[in-house]
Amino acid sequence: MTAQAGTPGVGYLILPSASVEAACSSVGGLDRFLGPDERIAGRRFRTVEDSRDYAASHVLLRLLAAHRLGLDALAAPGLNITRYCPGCGSSGHGRTVLPGMSLSLSRSHGLVMAVAGPAAASVGADVERVPSALFEGFDEYVLSPAAASVIAKTGVRERMRQWVAKEAVLKAAGVGLSVPPSAVSLVSDGNGAEALRADCPEQPLVHGFDVYPVPAISTHVAAVSAIACGPPAPRDANKVLPQARRGSLRAPSKGLNLSGA
C-alpha cells in the first residue's frame, strides 16, 4: 500500500505505553496491530515493561501511519512498513519507511513516540527519560567540541536535550550511532529560537537536518528531526487510536503528566 494525500506535514504523537495498550484492549490488544516479526521480537525482552514499550511503540507508529493515510485504525496491521539503510541499501536496519512516507519511533521507560511525514522529510524521533546522573564520558561522547565548554556546565536535563536532538538527527539520516553524536554540531537555523540544524559536513547523510525539541511528560525529553519541513505538529490521540477505547487521551504538552492516563 502506498501513501496517498492525507494529513500534511510532519506529525508526531507521544503517549504512555499503558495508554496505547488500554486503547487497543477492546479490539484485540497490542498484538492485534503487530506483524508476525514484531510480535516475536516483542517477546524477547526480559521484562514485561520493556516488552510492552516495544509493542506499544510499534503499534503507535502503525496507527499514526494509518491516520496519515486517512485509514481506519484497524487497517494499521496491514501496512507494509519496512526498513531501509541509505548508506548500504540494507532492509535489515536503517530508516523505518512506508512507500511514499517516512516514519520513526522511539520508546523509553513507559513512554512511546511515533513520527510520520512525507517521504522527502526523512523523519527521526527520539524520547528519553532524564536520569538522575549521566554516564561517565557522556559529554565527550555526545557534545561537539564547540558546545562542550558551554553545555557541559549545564544540568542533566539540558545535556539530555542534546542527546535526544542528535539521536533524532542520526535516526532521520538512517545512520544511527555509527556516527558518534559528538561529530554533529547543532546550530541555530535562523528561523526560530528552538529550531536547530545539524552541522556535519564530513557526513553528507547527516548534514543539514533540522531538529526540534517537542514536549514530553516531566520525566522525559524528546525531539523530532526532518529535512526542510518546518516544525512538526502534535496529532490528536483521539483521532489516531482505535475508536472503541479512545476516551479523552491527549498528546503531552509542557507540564502535563499522562503517566496515569
Side-chain angles (χ1 to χ4, degrees), residues 34-70:
L34 296 173
D37 291 344
E38 292 168 327
R39 287 194 288 271
I40 292 170
R43 296 185 182 109
R44 293 173 180 163
F45 291 91
R46 293 184 177 181
T47 69
V48 172
E49 292 78 13
D50 287 345
S51 179
R52 181 173 67 176
D53 285 352
Y54 173 89
S57 65
H58 283 260
V59 169
L60 187 62
L61 184 77
R62 288 182 170 276
L63 291 170
L64 188 62
H67 172 70
R68 182 176 177 84
L69 290 167

Side-chain angles (χ1 to χ4, degrees), residues 185-207:
S185 295
L186 298 177
V187 299
S188 173
D189 71 351
N191 295 320
E194 292 192 322
L196 297 172
R197 183 158 293 162
D199 182 47
C200 192
E202 66 277 15
Q203 296 286 345
L205 290 174
V206 176
H207 186 66

Side-chain angles (χ1 to χ4, degrees), residues 1-260:
M1 179 180 293
T2 58
Q4 304 297 322
T7 307
V10 173
Y12 71 92
L13 195 51
I14 304 175
L15 288 171
S17 299
S19 295
V20 181
E21 183 178 48
C24 296
S25 63
S26 65
V27 287
L30 293 174
D31 275 6
R32 163 72 173 76
F33 293 88
L34 296 173
D37 291 344
E38 292 168 327
R39 287 194 288 271
I40 292 170
R43 296 185 182 109
R44 293 173 180 163
F45 291 91
R46 293 184 177 181
T47 69
V48 172
E49 292 78 13
D50 287 345
S51 179
R52 181 173 67 176
D53 285 352
Y54 173 89
S57 65
H58 283 260
V59 169
L60 187 62
L61 184 77
R62 288 182 170 276
L63 291 170
L64 188 62
H67 172 70
R68 182 176 177 84
L69 290 167
L71 300 175
D72 186 88
L74 295 181
L79 297 178
N80 184 29
I81 295 175
T82 58
R83 304 290 292 275
Y84 173 72
C85 175
C88 69
S90 171
S91 61
H93 60 274
R95 296 176 185 146
T96 306
V97 295
L98 183 67
M101 190 185 299
S102 63
L103 302 167
S104 188
L105 76 167
S106 186
R107 63 185 186 275
S108 179
H109 298 86
L111 200 67
V112 293
M113 177 180 186
V115 179
S122 301
V123 300
D126 195 51
V127 62
E128 300 287 347
R129 185 174 67 177
V130 178
S132 58
L134 300 171
F135 61 80
E136 185 176 354
F138 177 93
D139 291 342
E140 292 77 10
Y141 181 63
V142 174
L143 304 181
S144 66
S149 61
V150 177
I151 299 175
K153 298 176 183 178
T154 63
V156 171
R157 175 173 288 271
E158 187 59 34
R159 286 143 79 195
M160 281 299 294
R161 289 189 185 281
Q162 284 276 309
W163 171 266
V164 296
K166 292 188 177 187
E167 177 117 20
V169 166
L170 296 174
K171 290 169 73 172
V175 299
L177 294 176
S178 65
V179 173
S182 60
V184 182
S185 295
L186 298 177
V187 299
S188 173
D189 71 351
N191 295 320
E194 292 192 322
L196 297 172
R197 183 158 293 162
D199 182 47
C200 192
E202 66 277 15
Q203 296 286 345
L205 290 174
V206 176
H207 186 66
F209 271 88
D210 296 324
V211 61
Y212 301 84
V214 295
I217 61 176
S218 61
T219 53
H220 290 63
V221 289
V224 173
S225 180
I227 284 283
C229 282
R235 300 304 183 212
D236 185 349
N238 292 301
K239 297 179 180 178
V240 173
L241 298 176
Q243 187 171 10
R245 290 291 297 276
R246 281 176 183 163
S248 58
L249 297 173
R250 292 180 294 166
S253 59
K254 292 182 180 179
L256 180 64
N257 188 339
L258 288 178
S259 59

